[in-house]
């Protein structure tokens, strides 16, 4: 199984982001790097302003944030995670999607 590479550009829409998530979800370190390098927190709000993020996709994103925190604690700390969560809460139907997550997610 080949390891995917991080795309050169940020996603243009939610569909592209989710397609990239699905291609990387079996490679947590690559997915975490993709989120850190290509998906700034403010972009999330723009990507999901019209299209709601599904709970499964939200779980993948939260997992990537957790991996980023574990792998690069000096560069990706609580402040960065808070920024992502704040922007996610500003997206469409976010509160509902957070409520649908299990405790482990």
């Amino acid at each position: 199984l080949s390891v995917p590479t991080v795309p050169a550009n940020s996603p243009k829409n939610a569909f592209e982001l989710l397609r990239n998530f699905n291609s990387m979800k079996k490679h947590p370190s690559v997915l975490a790097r993709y989120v850190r390098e290509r998906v700034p927190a403010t972009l999330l709000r723009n990507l999901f302003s019209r299209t709601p993020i599904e709970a499964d996709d939200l779980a993948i994103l939260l997992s990537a944030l957790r991996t980023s925190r574990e792998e690069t604690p000096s560069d990706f700390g609580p402040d960065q995670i808070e920024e992502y969560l704040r922007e996610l809460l500003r997206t469409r139907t976010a509160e509902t999607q957070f409520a649908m997550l299990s405790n482990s997610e």
Side-chain angles (χ1 to χ4, degrees), residues 14-92:
F15 176 76
E16 184 180 348
L17 174 76
L18 299 177
R19 186 181 69 230
N20 290 333
F21 273 14
N22 286 323
S23 73
M24 296 178 207
K25 67 183 174 185
K26 293 183 179 174
H27 305 277
S29 293
V30 176
L31 178 61
R33 197 169 122 230
Y34 171 64
V35 171
R36 279 194 316 271
E37 295 178 3
R38 303 287 183 251
V39 188
T42 52
L43 180 60
L44 285 176
R45 183 171 26 137
N46 294 337
L47 294 176
F48 294 104
S49 62
R50 293 187 194 110
T51 306
I53 187 169
E54 297 296 325
D56 291 345
D57 300 321
L58 178 59
I60 292 170
L61 175 62
L62 294 176
S63 175
L65 296 177
R66 185 180 312 119
T67 301
S68 286
R69 175 71 177 127
E70 292 166 358
E71 291 182 352
T72 58
S74 60
D75 297 331
F76 201 86
D79 291 343
Q80 287 79 14
I81 291 175
E82 178 186 0
E83 184 180 359
Y84 276 90
L85 295 176
R86 192 177 327 109
E87 293 299 332
L88 281 168
L89 283 171
R90 293 178 176 161
T91 64
R92 193 164 178 234

